[in-house]
């Protein structure tokens, strides 16, 4: 998140949103002005205490924020980190969604704490990791969170250590976890900024993570529970992620929605009622979709899509971005994009598949809008001794003739987006 985009009209509209009956369907205005700097607008009543943030996932651009770094009790928002670490364990091959877990006494006991949301696990139950993940995200099962923590971390205590180490790695400087589930615990806190960071990382690394948070209902042991995230019932674009509530934290939500290529995350922490939380989250999402669009940049037609390799068993390696090359712009904006490809390795074999070899940067008007790592699409092994020597000779000759520049630039003129 390199910069923030603000609009006077955005905050003005949000004041209107806060005055609506919160459970009425949202309707977006017909048009929006272009974003411009503004001074903060004061908010009356308890809304002043809420923290809010709207982020576009692909770029990490923050489109709106209010009190983004205020530390607040997370309640069940802890479960976003529990989900993330479990999906990482699955990706690493340590678990699968079909791995069986035997429910411990500690996990059962957590579900019986007064006021605890639960999946209704019983001691000795055999349940799959996939079932636990759905119970975690839909039913907000504290028992499911404990069971996953024990399975992934070996114990809840070690899992919490991993939660905090991961938070530090991701730059979540306002966050400290004490539990994997979010039942009230001294010293535990998060911020709207950090929750948006975590949600973005989740969605970038595991785009299918929403399969566990999007179902409207979850059933276990003959008990059917509705998703605590009421937005999945109200807007078909919403497919996650998590809500939270305790007397200390107030009503919170980290919601994500997708419309075409544009995916947004809206965070509300500390709303005084569930209705207010709903209105604020829906207002931010509606404003974001009305005001912004995503442009895919066809970088392969502008800069080289392969890298010449010397001393290898193949003459070149295809390049692929770590994630789609696309930029967020205000609807109706005009102008060309500058596309730069920078090679950051010496082009000698061996090169491993998935190895980062460069960067794609997209900018406009001198401002960097997106930077995406370039990865090797295939592996290239070393050739024999003669091939390596001949490759070094050819590389030296090409260097004298400037035939393998480390940086290539081009320009892309997109179609004008609909306003």
């Amino acid at each position: 998140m390199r910069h923030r985009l603000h609009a006077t009209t955005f905050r003005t509209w949000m004041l209107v949103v806060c005055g609506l009956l919160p459970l009425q369907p949202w309707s977006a205005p017909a048009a929006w002005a272009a974003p411009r700097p503004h001074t903060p607008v004061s908010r009356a009543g308890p809304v002043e205490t809420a923290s809010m943030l709207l982020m576009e996932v692909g770029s990490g651009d923050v489109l709106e924020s209010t009190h983004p770094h205020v530390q607040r009790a997370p309640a069940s928002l802890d479960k976003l980190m529990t989900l993330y670490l479990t999906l990482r364990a699955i990706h690493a091959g340590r678990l699968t969604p079909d791995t069986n877990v035997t429910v411990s006494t500690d996990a059962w006991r957590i579900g019986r704490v007064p006021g605890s949301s639960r999946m209704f696990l019983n001691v000795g139950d055999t349940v799959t990791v996939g079932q636990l993940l759905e119970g975690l995200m839909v039913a907000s099962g504290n028992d499911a969170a404990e069971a996953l923590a024990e399975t992934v971390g070996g114990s809840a205590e070690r899992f919490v250590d991993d939660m905090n180490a991961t938070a530090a790695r991701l730059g979540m400087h306002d966050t400290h976890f004490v539990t994997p589930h979010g039942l009230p615990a001294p010293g535990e806190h998060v911020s709207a900024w950090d929750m948006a960071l975590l949600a973005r990382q989740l969605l970038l690394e595991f785009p299918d993570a929403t399969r566990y948070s999007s179902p409207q209902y979850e059933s276990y042991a003959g008990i059917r529970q509705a998703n605590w995230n009421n937005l999945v019932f109200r807007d078909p674009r919403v497919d996650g992620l998590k809500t939270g509530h305790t007397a200390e934290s107030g009503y919170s939500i980290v919601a994500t929605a997708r419309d075409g290529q544009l995916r947004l995350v809206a965070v509300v922490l500390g709303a005084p009622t569930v209705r207010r939380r709903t209105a604020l989250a829906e207002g931010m999402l509606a404003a974001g979709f009305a005001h912004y669009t995503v442009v895919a940049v066809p970088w392969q037609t502008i800069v080289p899509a392969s890298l010449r390799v010397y001393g290898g068993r193949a003459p070149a390696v295809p390049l692929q971005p770590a994630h789609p090359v696309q930029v967020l712009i205000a609807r109706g904006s005009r102008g060309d994009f500058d596309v730069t490809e920078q090679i950051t390795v010496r082009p000698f074999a061996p090169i491993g598949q998935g190895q980062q070899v460069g960067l794609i940067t997209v900018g406009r008007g001198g401002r960097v809008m997106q930077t995406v790592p370039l990865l090797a699409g295939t592996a290239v092994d070393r050739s024999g001794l003669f091939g390596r020597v001949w490759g070094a000779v050819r590389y030296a000759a090409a260097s004298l003739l400037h035939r393998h520049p480390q940086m290539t630039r081009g320009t892309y003129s997109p179609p004008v987006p609909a306003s």
Side-chain angles (χ1 to χ4, degrees):
M1 291 149 300
R2 301 171 299 278
H3 59 278
R4 305 180 189 178
L5 305 178
H6 295 288
T8 303
T9 52
F10 196 108
R11 286 187 181 272
T12 303
W13 194 23
M14 286 302 295
L15 287 174
V16 176
V17 170
C18 295
L20 293 176
L21 288 174
L23 297 183
Q24 291 177 341
W26 179 266
S27 58
W32 278 75
R36 58 182 183 271
H38 66 283
T39 55
V41 178
S42 62
R43 302 172 185 270
V47 177
E48 289 183 350
T49 66
S51 297
M52 302 189 299
L53 189 142
L54 180 67
M55 176 185 287
E56 194 273 319
V57 171
S59 64
D61 286 341
V62 174
L63 310 181
E64 172 71 3
S65 66
T66 302
H67 309 311
H69 293 288
V70 172
Q71 295 179 350
R72 299 179 181 275
S76 285
L77 298 186
D78 272 15
K79 296 183 175 82
L80 282 177
M81 182 61 85
T82 301
L83 171 66
Y84 179 61
L85 291 180
T86 304
L87 293 179
R88 284 180 62 86
I90 292 173
H91 181 73
R94 295 162 48 203
L95 301 170
T96 74
D98 296 324
T99 298
N100 285 323
V101 175
T102 301
V103 178
S104 69
T105 302
D106 286 341
W108 171 83
R109 187 178 292 116
I110 287 293
R112 266 49 180 189
V113 172
S116 176
S117 55
R118 52 180 167 160
M119 186 180 167
F120 291 95
L121 298 173
N122 291 304
V123 178
D125 282 359
T126 298
V127 60
T128 68
V129 168
Q131 287 177 298
L132 288 172
L133 286 173
E134 195 164 305
L136 178 83
M137 301 305 291
V138 176
S140 194
N142 294 325
D143 47 2
E146 187 77 7
L148 287 168
E150 293 170 356
T151 302
V152 176
S155 71
E157 293 75 19
R158 285 197 294 271
F159 187 81
V160 170
D161 289 341
D162 290 342
M163 293 173 74
N164 286 312
T166 302
R169 176 176 62 83
L170 296 179
M172 298 169 62
H173 302 305
D174 306 318
T175 292
H176 180 70
F177 294 111
V178 178
T179 76
H181 41 70
L183 285 172
E188 187 162 61
H189 50 79
V190 299
S191 69
W193 186 279
D194 284 1
M195 287 294 97
L197 272 181
L198 176 57
R200 178 180 185 243
Q201 190 67 29
L202 249 172
L203 294 166
L204 288 178
E205 280 193 52
F206 310 108
D208 64 344
T210 54
R211 63 180 289 195
Y212 299 110
S213 62
S214 60
Q216 294 182 345
Y217 296 94
E218 177 269 343
S219 295
Y220 180 75
I223 301 171
R224 186 171 185 250
Q225 298 191 69
N227 197 322
W228 286 83
N229 181 359
N230 63 332
L231 298 190
V232 303
F233 296 92
R234 298 165 57 83
D235 187 341
R237 298 173 299 185
V238 176
D239 51 9
L241 289 159
K242 194 72 197 72
T243 62
H245 171 256
T246 63
E248 179 187 359
S249 70
Y251 291 88
S252 302
I253 189 169
V254 178
T256 185
R258 180 172 182 171
D259 191 345
Q261 295 301 308
L262 179 58
R263 179 173 282 281
L264 301 175
V265 168
V267 181
V268 178
L269 303 186
T273 66
V274 68
R275 290 191 172 194
R276 185 68 74 186
R277 180 187 75 187
T278 299
L280 293 174
E282 285 188 326
M284 285 192 288
L285 291 173
F289 288 129
H291 201 189
Y292 295 96
T293 190
V294 166
V295 173
V297 179
W299 65 276
Q300 303 96 326
T301 65
I302 303 165
V303 294
S306 63
L307 173 66
R308 184 167 188 145
V309 178
Y310 296 88
R313 296 187 181 277
V317 60
L319 302 178
Q320 60 185 34
H323 53 83
V325 181
Q326 54 191 33
V327 291
L328 179 75
I329 61 173
R331 291 188 180 273
S333 67
R334 293 171 172 80
D336 295 340
F337 295 111
D338 301 315
V339 182
T340 302
E341 178 182 277
Q342 182 181 7
I343 301 302
T344 57
V345 299
R346 285 171 57 83
F348 284 93
I351 291 178
Q353 183 175 5
Q355 176 184 340
Q356 182 173 337
V357 297
L359 295 169
I360 286 285
T361 302
V362 182
R364 175 184 276 180
R367 180 174 67 87
V368 173
M369 303 177 71
Q370 178 70 290
T371 299
V372 181
L374 271 180
L375 311 179
T378 60
V380 178
D381 294 329
R382 282 180 177 174
S383 62
L385 177 61
F386 177 79
R388 296 200 301 272
V389 172
W390 179 238
V393 171
R394 292 173 60 225
Y395 178 79
S399 297
L400 292 175
L401 297 174
H402 305 287
R403 288 183 177 172
H404 46 75
Q406 294 296 101
M407 187 174 293
T408 308
R409 291 187 172 91
T411 302
Y412 172 57
S413 300
V416 176
S419 59

